[in-house]
Every structure is written in structure tokens, then in C-alpha cells.
Amino acid sequence: MNASLSLEADRALLGRTSTAEKVAEILRTRIIEGAFQPGERLAEDKIVKALSISRNTLREAFRLLTHARLLTHEMNRGVFVRSLTADDVRDLYRVRRMLECAVVGAITTPPAGLAQVEAAVTEGERAEREGRWRELGTANMHFHQALTALAGSPRLDEMMQQIIAELRLAFHVMNDPKRFHAPYLGRNQHILADLREGDGSAAAEKLSDYLTVAENQLLTGFATRTPPTG
Amino acid sequence: MNASLSLEADRALLGRTSTAEKVAEILRTRIIEGAFQPGERLAEDKIVKALSISRNTLREAFRLLTHARLLTHEMNRGVFVRSLTADDVRDLYRVRRMLECAVVGAITTPPAGLAQVEAAVTEGERAEREGRWRELGTANMHFHQALTALAGSPRLDEMMQQIIAELRLAFHVMNDPKRFHAPYLGRNQHILADLREGDGSAAAEKLSDYLTVAENQLLTGFATRTPPTG
DNA sequence: GGTAGAGGATTGTTGAACAATCCTTCAAGG
DNA sequence: CCTTGAAGGATTGTTCAACAATCCTCTACC
């Protein structure tokens, strides 16, 4: 009983993070959620007041987010939420195609870690039934994160996480989440079926098809919107 | 003449960076060069004095380097140069295998951007002739960065840059750069020959072989050293 | 040898200050 | 009316000092 209590206290210690890191996480979440417009400037004064922190702490948090490509830091002009261009989208999908298809295509037997892939499909099915299209999109991203996680590489996981975060910025440009995310659930189910049989090659082909369709849809959405500022 | 002068002035403006960014770059370079030992703590006071900057500026610079995985930031204990473990090495090579082989393996015709690959091989040949083994290692890394650059993806380039930076930390554990880097020049020359013929599949196979050998050599070097602290 | 406490060093955060830069507005000149 | 230049205000980048919190080391005691 005593040992169990002591370990729980240790677990709380593991979660200690600095204020700067907490603020970075808050901002990251808000940016991904779309609380800020692409291109919007994050004025230090406003955020300092909103979060009751010091400017220096905020500046540290901004620096933490720089590498995540969610912010752009412009000397003497401030920090802006990234605006993705069509070229960004193309590059993101080029990288996804390379990463995800390499992972999936290398599978020759039913992989051990399918539970998360399955959970993401289940999550998507539930979201679809309940007509919650944003959550469907989130489940789709979980699906792809889980695909990459089949490689068992912490670095690949982090790369994919970053790619997905950037893609979130792009998705906010799309004004119809149902139209954008709904068609892919069936594809995910087929990819999962291939993986269950250990047919990575077939799964990678379906995945590549999906990526091409999704990329084109996103690029079309971009073309029908006003060009981003900056 | 006037327009030319004006543009040159603009070019100087493009290079403006903040002190925090400059400091981050200085630290990054020093870390990669091996000026600090793996596991070494970067005491704020010492660096502040050495570089004549303020603590807050240094902290911003540290935050910029966190994501690069060159530093580890430990709450209330300070900032440390990363120590790579054998698992890190395995993951780095897993990612390299995935990235580099996907890029190279997709080549079916002689690619347009071979000049940088060729330059890296030339650089390696010169370094070998002059017996400069560290430079040979650098040329080898340039070779692999140039391979990845064949994909024409800014994000992939940056990922590869980061992987190479991390690998630099691992290489400092190896105490014989000649023994480690020298055998790979010939392999690079063969990979280049395949690429000149547009045979990406053959190149990818040679590349995969190289990665396996290099990984095992590095892991062997790790096993014969004292375990890193932390 | 193990534990507890004290003291010093260091980190994390805050806030004030100032210099530099940018942006907006206004006025003057062509 | 348009362009240019200057002034003023807002904001950013950096510095400095201060303080609280935490960690680490050392010493003393059991």
C-alpha cells in the first residue's frame, strides 16, 4: 500500500514541465484547433495578458514552437501563425507518401501493433455515425499516425506528428470537413484489411492512392480560397 | 548599375538574424564539432560570460536547440548535450534506411540533381588523398544529404539535416575516423554509378547494405565505450 | 552506513528599462 | 493627386536585477 502510494507521487513528478513548455503546448493546441487564423500575428502583449505570464517566458515558448513550423518568427515584426502555400501542401504529401508508404510497404506479415490502427478506424466509424465530421478528420489523422507507428521508430513518430500538425493548419482552409474527410473511412478500412493479411504492398498502393486524392482535394480547396497573406 | 546595387543591399537584409538565433547556431556548430562532451552540462553562467549575452537570450537559444535533439533540457537541472544510446543509433539508422532508400529507390531515370552527389564524392576522394579523415566523414555526410535532396523536398532535407546532426554526436564516440569513414567512399562511388544509369533499385540496395554495415560498426564502437551518463 | 538538515549554487520566472525597428500618420513638395 | 520624408507611437529584442524554487553537496548525528 505504501509502495503503491509512493510510486503515484513519483508519477506526478514525471509530469513536471516548465511554464514555457506549458505555454508552448497551450499555443500549439490552440493553433492546431484553428483558434488563430493563418497569417495572424501573435502579439506578445495580448498573450502575456491573457495567460498572465512574463514576456520572457512567452518568448521562450515561441522559440519552442519555431521548429514545429506552426509559427514563423519575423525579426522585429513579431510571430505569426504559419500560412501554408500550395507548395507546402505538395511537400507535405510528398513526405507523407515517402514515409507512410515506406513503412506500410515493408510489411510482409500481419504486424504486431495493429491495435492502434484498428482503434482509429473504430473511432472514425463512430464519428461518422454521429455525424461529427471534425472528429472524423481527427480519427483519420490518428489512423495515419498509427500507420507510421508500425515502424516502431520514435523519430518517425515525431516527424509524423509534426507533419500532421502542419496539415491541421491546411485543413482549416477547407470549409467542408464532411466533404473532405468522409470519403476516406472506407479506404482506411480496406488498408486495415490488407494489413491484417500482412499484405503491405497492397496496403501501400491503396495508401498512395488516398494520398494523391487527398492532396488534390486539398490543393483544389486552396485554389478556390484567397491567397494567404505574407 | 543602380538596380544591381540596390538588390545587393536587400540581400544583406535577408541575413538579419536575432542574437538568440545566432547564439543557437554557434552552439549548434560547437556541439556538432564535438566541442562539448556528450552528457556535458551547458551552464548558463559560463556561456553567458563567454558570449557576453544576457541569460534570457541564452535561454531562448537553448529553446531553439531543444527540438534539434542536440540538447536535453532537464527541469531545474539545466541543459545537457545529448548522449546517444545504442537505441538512438538503431532508430537513426532505421529512419535513414527508410528515408534514403525510399528516395533513391524511387529513381528510374538518371536524376536531374546529381551535381551535389558528385561533388560530395569528389570531396571525399580529395579528403582521402590528403589523409584528412574527419573531412572524409564530413564528405560522406554531404553525400547522404545530397542523396536525400534528390527528392526535392525541403522538409525531407531538414529531417535529414537533423538526423545527420544527431549522428555527428554519435561519431564523436568513435575514436578512429579513418577506420570508420574510409571504407565507404568506394560504396558511394558505386551508388553514384547506379544513379547515373537511373538504376535507383540497385543504388538503394547498395545503400541499404552500407547503412547496415555502418550501423553495426557504430553499435560496436558504442559497445566498447563506457556507457554514457544520464 | 544512512538520514536529515543547512547552505550554496543554479535554474525558472518576473518585471522594468532601454535601444532598435517598424508602421502609421501627417505634412510638404512636385 | 501622388510621392517622399519626417515624426510619433507601438512593438520587438535584449539586458539587467531580483526573487522563489529546486537541486546538490557537505556536515553532523545516530
Side-chain angles (χ1 to χ4, degrees), chain B residues 4-98:
Chain B
S4 167
L5 284 178
S6 157
L7 282 178
E8 278 177 10
D10 286 345
R11 205 169 11 178
L13 282 178
L14 287 179
R16 287 193 309 164
T17 55
S18 65
T19 303
E21 286 163 14
K22 281 179 192 144
V23 168
E25 192 53 38
I26 288 168
L27 291 177
R28 185 176 182 276
T29 302
R30 291 291 174 273
I31 290 164
I32 287 173
E33 286 173 352
F36 303 105
Q37 291 297 106
E40 184 170 345
R41 193 164 68 88
L42 305 190
E44 290 184 2
D45 259 9
K46 281 166 74 173
I47 299 183
V48 156
K49 286 190 186 111
L51 298 180
S52 295
I53 55 171
S54 117
R55 269 184 68 215
N56 285 114
T57 302
L58 176 61
R59 296 184 61 84
E60 283 192 39
F62 280 156
R63 297 298 192 180
L64 281 172
L65 291 176
T66 298
H67 231 99
R69 269 196 295 257
L70 298 179
L71 301 179
T72 57
H73 213 115
E74 294 186 30
M75 180 74 169
N76 284 325
R77 289 187 6 93
V79 170
F80 300 79
V81 176
R82 281 281 313 287
S83 279
L84 289 206
T85 64
D87 276 348
D88 285 320
V89 171
R90 285 187 197 102
D91 195 41
L92 283 163
Y93 277 88
R94 185 189 291 122
V95 172
R96 285 188 71 184
R97 206 168 277 118
M98 207 148 282

Side-chain angles (χ1 to χ4, degrees), chain A residues 203-230:
Chain A
E205 203 168 315
K206 291 183 175 66
L207 180 57
S208 180
D209 289 344
Y210 152 73
L211 290 171
T212 300
V213 173
E215 178 185 0
N216 288 330
Q217 202 174 2
L218 200 47
L219 288 174
T220 302
F222 264 62
T224 57
R225 301 280 294 191
T226 53
T229 53

Side-chain angles (χ1 to χ4, degrees), chain A:
Chain A
M1 185 80 166
N2 278 353
S4 168
L5 286 177
S6 160
L7 281 177
E8 279 178 11
D10 285 343
R11 205 169 12 177
L13 281 177
L14 288 179
R16 287 194 310 164
T17 54
S18 65
T19 303
E21 286 164 13
K22 282 181 191 141
V23 169
E25 192 52 38
I26 287 170
L27 291 176
R28 182 177 186 276
T29 302
R30 290 291 175 273
I31 289 165
I32 287 173
E33 285 173 351
F36 303 105
Q37 290 296 109
E40 183 172 347
R41 192 165 67 90
L42 305 190
E44 288 183 0
D45 260 10
K46 281 167 76 173
I47 298 184
V48 158
K49 283 187 189 116
L51 299 180
S52 294
I53 54 171
S54 121
R55 268 184 68 216
N56 285 113
T57 303
L58 177 60
R59 296 184 61 82
E60 283 192 41
F62 280 156
R63 297 300 190 179
L64 280 172
L65 291 176
T66 298
H67 230 103
R69 270 196 294 259
L70 298 179
L71 300 180
T72 57
H73 214 116
E74 294 186 29
M75 179 73 170
N76 285 324
R77 290 189 2 94
V79 169
F80 300 78
V81 176
R82 281 283 312 286
S83 280
L84 290 207
T85 63
D87 275 348
D88 285 321
V89 172
R90 283 186 200 100
D91 195 42
L92 283 163
Y93 277 89
R94 185 188 292 120
V95 172
R96 284 187 70 184
R97 206 167 279 119
M98 207 148 280
L99 290 189
E100 292 186 52
C101 294
V103 174
V104 169
I107 288 164
T108 53
T109 60
L114 272 186
Q116 284 205 312
V117 182
E118 290 165 338
V121 169
T122 303
E123 182 189 346
E125 288 162 346
R126 193 187 315 116
E128 189 191 42
R129 266 197 317 271
E130 298 170 7
R132 296 185 298 166
W133 310 112
R134 289 245 171 238
E135 276 89 337
L136 178 58
T138 298
N140 195 32
M141 290 296 106
H142 288 163
F143 177 80
H144 289 276
Q145 181 82 49
L147 285 189
T148 307
L150 294 176
S153 158
R155 283 167 182 76
L156 268 181
D157 288 345
E158 196 182 313
M159 286 174 194
M160 191 64 193
Q161 201 177 34
Q162 188 171 324
I163 285 160
I164 284 170
E166 272 194 87
L167 276 173
R168 289 290 189 98
L169 293 186
F171 293 162
H172 294 310
V173 173
M174 308 300 289
N175 57 10
D176 188 349
K178 176 180 178 180
R179 188 129 150 268
F180 185 64
H181 294 293
Y184 303 125
L185 185 55
R187 286 174 183 261
N188 292 352
Q189 287 158 345
H190 290 142
I191 289 166
L192 175 57
D194 283 339
L195 293 178
R196 279 185 176 134
E197 308 209 356
D199 192 349
S201 181
E205 203 168 315
K206 291 183 175 66
L207 180 57
S208 180
D209 289 344
Y210 152 73
L211 290 171
T212 300
V213 173
E215 178 185 0
N216 288 330
Q217 202 174 2
L218 200 47
L219 288 174
T220 302
F222 264 62
T224 57
R225 301 280 294 191
T226 53
T229 53

